[in-house]
Amino acid sequence: MSAALRFALQALFWGGWAGAYFALPEYLPLLAQIAIIALFVLSLDLLVGYAGFVTLGHAAFFGLGAYAAGILAQQGWGEPISGLLFGAAVAALVGLLTAPLVLRGGDLTGLMVTLGIAMMLFEAANRMAWLTGGADGLQGVEMWEIFGVWRFDLFGRTAFVYSLTVLFLLYLLARLIVSSPFGLALRGIKGNRRRMEALGTPVRARLVAVYTLSAAYAGIAGALLAQTTQFVSLDVLDFHRSADALLMLVLGGMGSLYGAMLGAIVFMVAHHALSELTPQFWQFWIGIALIALAIAGRGGMLGLAGRLLARWGGR
Amino acid sequence: MSTAVLETDGLTRHFGGFTAVDKVSLSLSAGARHALIGPNGAGKTTFVNLLTGALSASAGTVRLLGQDVTALPQHKRIKRGLARTFQINQLFAELTPLEAVSLAIAEREGLSARWWKPLSAHAAIAAEARALLDGLRMPAADAASATAGLPYGRQRLLEIALALALKPRVLLLDEPAAGVPPSESREILDSIAALPREVAVLLIEHDMDLVFRFAERITVLAQGAILAEGEPAAIAADPRVKEAYLGEAAHG
């Protein structure tokens, strides 16, 4: 794919978000949520798609960020930016502390440990109702204006622009990271861990770093959800959130930042559209899409689109 | 010997009740051209894994450049000047040889934790990677295509390139030409012959032509233990060595 075409497609992607702001004003709350989930899937991509470490418990960090930012605001500090950073810090700290457990043993062991940690956090949030509101959810989250200027409005305008801006900035940072020597080392670890060790890479330290980074990203996504909806329910820590994110990532294309975001968008839009049409049946269609993409080859939708473009361009 | 760059003393590894490497004491002097030979299952690859730290020793010590590294993990030994190639390719299927060699160079330069600057901004790394692959006569088109699609001989060449990119003081070559068809093996043999003299090389090999062309000293391993060590001519004449190989042929 030529550089000009690549740039045009990226401009189209971000321009599409901006266009949606004007074209779909009644859907802004949903669009804000899509941007947030796109950020969450992006965080998963750093870990799964680039470093090749599969997790089934990534909702743990999303939920930690959501509760951290939500509780901070509920307790009287409603400043949004510091709330995001607080959510990121809490998630990153737990990521850093649990990384040695998760990275111990083989891939399957790690997978089970991620699952176990997320389950424990879910149950802890359920039991600690005095802090989290338990099954009723966290009430009384009140946000201040962003930079003292933009108030969170009923129509979700501020929520959307805020979420999208955070997504864009963190995408830029992620793009820098994956193109850096550190990012290449992650791809090396995914590709061949034994060789990386033989090249002198402290593989475990690199994995701890990306696990913590990915946790921080997920924490920010969770914090965004808490701030823009001014509510946190136990759902943020639910297993289905981890599983759905993995599904979105595979759907869109692992190891590509746009693949991650595209997967989230398509999944969320399809979820919304299909569940209105056939409420019980929408997972059936997602299942069909997954099978079709798996048969069509690796790289999810983005990989498929790239191959089609290459064939078309080759003629 | 005071100039030994790599030295083992009584190095031993058990797997359960089986002793794969049995009290091996071996010394490589600076600039050595040393071959380690032995029949299949003699413990050669296990020995290499003990040297690099991929496996931990059950007993004995490994000294690298005069310092005891027995307790050090692999990546710290590599950082001190040890590099290896693998008998079975351990490459990055999705990366190009240029990317893979850049990765190795970045690691050597201690840049692999840097996340705030794109790799493309480190121009010296790309230039060095290109020069290294050119020097090994890897065609430019191959150097820029995904490794998985390259001919086997080119992949073997990349195996060596990745080790050389680390600028090692001691290089362990584990059957570098294994499985390479004769039409493609020339580059590999040339690259081994052209290794800089300041690098001490331990060649683990089956191919006796290559061993006798390259080695100035040979150690023969059988059933995990050293059977004989000496100059190539002495080894070639040693009846015990012949028996070890003939014995294998009779059973095989």
Side-chain angles (χ1 to χ4, degrees):
Chain A
M1 203 188 303
S2 74
L5 180 60
R6 193 180 289 259
F7 182 80
L9 287 173
Q10 295 185 7
L12 191 71
F13 178 88
W14 295 106
W17 282 104
Y21 176 81
F22 297 105
L24 303 164
E26 69 274 32
Y27 285 109
L28 286 180
L30 175 68
L31 289 168
Q33 288 214 21
I34 295 178
I36 290 167
I37 297 304
L39 179 60
F40 181 47
V41 180
L42 195 72
S43 80
L44 192 63
D45 197 18
L46 290 173
L47 187 60
V48 181
Y50 284 90
F53 183 87
V54 184
T55 165
L56 270 177
H58 215 48
F61 302 116
F62 186 86
L64 278 167
Y67 275 112
I71 292 169
L72 185 72
Q74 186 208 34
Q75 296 299 315
W77 180 258
E79 202 287 308
I81 309 299
S82 51
L84 285 189
L85 294 177
F86 184 62
V90 169
L93 183 68
V94 175
L96 187 64
L97 292 177
T98 55
L101 273 178
V102 167
L103 297 173
R104 225 181 130 83
D107 288 347
L108 191 61
T109 318
L111 195 71
M112 290 302 112
V113 176
T114 59
L115 190 59
I117 290 172
M119 285 165 71
M120 277 167 53
L121 279 174
F122 180 88
E123 208 42 51
N126 189 21
R127 288 299 167 91
M128 291 162 70
W130 55 271
L131 182 67
T132 63
D136 297 331
L138 186 73
Q139 315 275 350
V141 176
E142 287 196 22
M143 299 312 299
W144 303 348
E145 291 86 359
I146 299 167
F147 297 126
V149 179
W150 293 288
R151 196 168 52 80
F152 284 99
D153 57 291
L154 276 177
F155 312 103
R157 285 193 207 113
T158 305
F160 173 72
V161 175
Y162 178 50
S163 303
L164 184 60
T165 306
V166 173
L167 172 66
F168 182 63
L169 293 177
L170 287 178
Y171 155 73
L172 289 180
L173 179 64
R175 194 174 73 166
L176 175 65
I177 291 172
V178 300
S179 67
S180 71
F182 173 70
L184 187 59
L186 295 181
R187 287 168 67 199
I189 291 169
K190 182 190 181 188
N192 194 330
R193 188 175 170 151
R194 271 184 81 186
R195 170 58 87 172
M196 285 304 278
E197 282 165 352
L199 291 181
T201 306
V203 169
R204 182 175 289 255
R206 296 289 173 273
L207 286 174
V208 169
V210 71
Y211 191 73
T212 306
L213 173 75
S214 170
Y217 261 65
I220 292 178
L224 271 178
L225 186 70
Q227 293 181 346
T228 54
T229 60
Q230 312 212 351
F231 178 71
V232 183
S233 74
L234 275 178
D235 184 61
V236 292
L237 284 167
D238 202 326
F239 170 71
H240 83 77
R241 194 175 285 281
S242 303
D244 282 357
L246 210 51
L247 216 74
M248 294 179 214
L249 183 57
V250 173
L251 206 65
M254 283 200 288
S256 147
L257 300 177
Y258 279 100
M261 295 188 286
L262 203 63
I265 294 168
V266 169
F267 184 96
M268 294 282 287
V269 169
H271 186 177
H272 184 78
L274 292 172
S275 61
E276 271 187 0
L277 283 169
T278 55
Q280 279 89 40
F281 215 49
W282 84 276
Q283 287 202 346
F284 178 83
W285 296 108
I286 289 286
I288 285 194
L290 260 181
I291 293 169
L293 279 170
I295 289 172
R298 295 184 312 156
M301 291 186 309
L302 209 66
L304 189 64
R307 280 193 294 278
L308 288 176
L309 266 177
R311 185 175 294 183
W312 175 61
R315 277 185 189 167
Chain B
M1 201 190 308
S2 61
T3 55
V5 288
L6 183 69
E7 204 171 12
T8 69
D9 185 16
L11 199 59
T12 301
R13 171 72 197 204
H14 306 292
F15 292 108
F18 172 65
T19 303
V21 173
D22 191 7
K23 300 191 203 76
V24 172
S25 299
L26 189 140
S27 173
L28 243 65
S29 50
R33 294 290 181 266
H34 200 127
L36 181 66
I37 65 173
N40 273 326
K44 302 186 295 288
T45 294
T46 304
F47 182 66
V48 170
N49 285 331
L50 291 175
L51 292 178
T52 61
L55 285 173
S56 57
S58 305
T61 57
V62 180
R63 294 174 74 80
L64 180 62
L65 304 175
Q67 284 177 314
D68 189 341
V69 297
T70 318
L72 287 186
Q74 178 163 218
H75 64 92
K76 290 195 175 154
R77 298 189 197 187
I78 306 290
K79 285 281 191 291
R80 291 183 179 208
L82 183 66
R84 74 170 292 186
T85 68
F86 290 87
Q87 180 186 356
I88 295 162
N89 281 346
Q90 297 291 338
L91 301 171
F92 307 106
E94 291 177 13
L95 301 185
T96 68
L98 273 175
E99 286 174 317
V101 172
S102 299
L103 182 59
I105 295 170
E107 193 56 64
R108 182 196 77 209
E109 296 293 316
L111 298 174
S112 83
R114 291 224 181 158
W115 56 266
W116 56 89
K117 210 167 138 186
L119 183 72
S120 52
H122 298 276
I125 292 182
E128 189 187 333
R130 196 167 293 278
L132 176 63
L133 289 170
D134 278 352
L136 292 172
R137 280 186 275 147
M138 171 91 75
D142 282 351
S145 1
T147 301
L150 296 182
Y152 185 71
R154 296 275 144 73
Q155 296 194 15
R156 289 309 282 168
L157 204 56
L158 179 56
E159 265 290 328
I160 295 172
L162 287 176
L164 290 180
L166 300 177
K167 290 198 175 155
R169 299 279 307 275
V170 180
L171 178 60
L172 313 173
L173 296 170
D174 195 353
E175 298 196 29
V180 179
S183 59
E184 295 179 35
S185 66
R186 215 189 137 69
E187 278 99 341
I188 291 171
L189 301 184
D190 287 353
S191 70
I192 294 170
L195 287 170
R197 196 68 214 196
E198 63 268 23
V199 180
V201 181
L202 181 66
L203 174 72
I204 293 89
E205 193 47 80
H206 255 322
D207 181 343
M208 287 305 137
D209 282 350
L210 183 55
V211 167
F212 283 101
R213 188 142 41 116
F214 171 83
E216 290 158 4
R217 197 162 181 82
I218 296 176
T219 298
V220 185
L221 212 58
Q223 292 168 355
I226 293 183
L227 182 72
E229 183 176 331
E231 314 253 309
I235 292 296
D238 192 322
R240 292 172 302 165
V241 176
K242 278 187 187 146
E243 194 191 330
Y245 274 92
L246 289 175
E248 185 199 27
H251 291 296

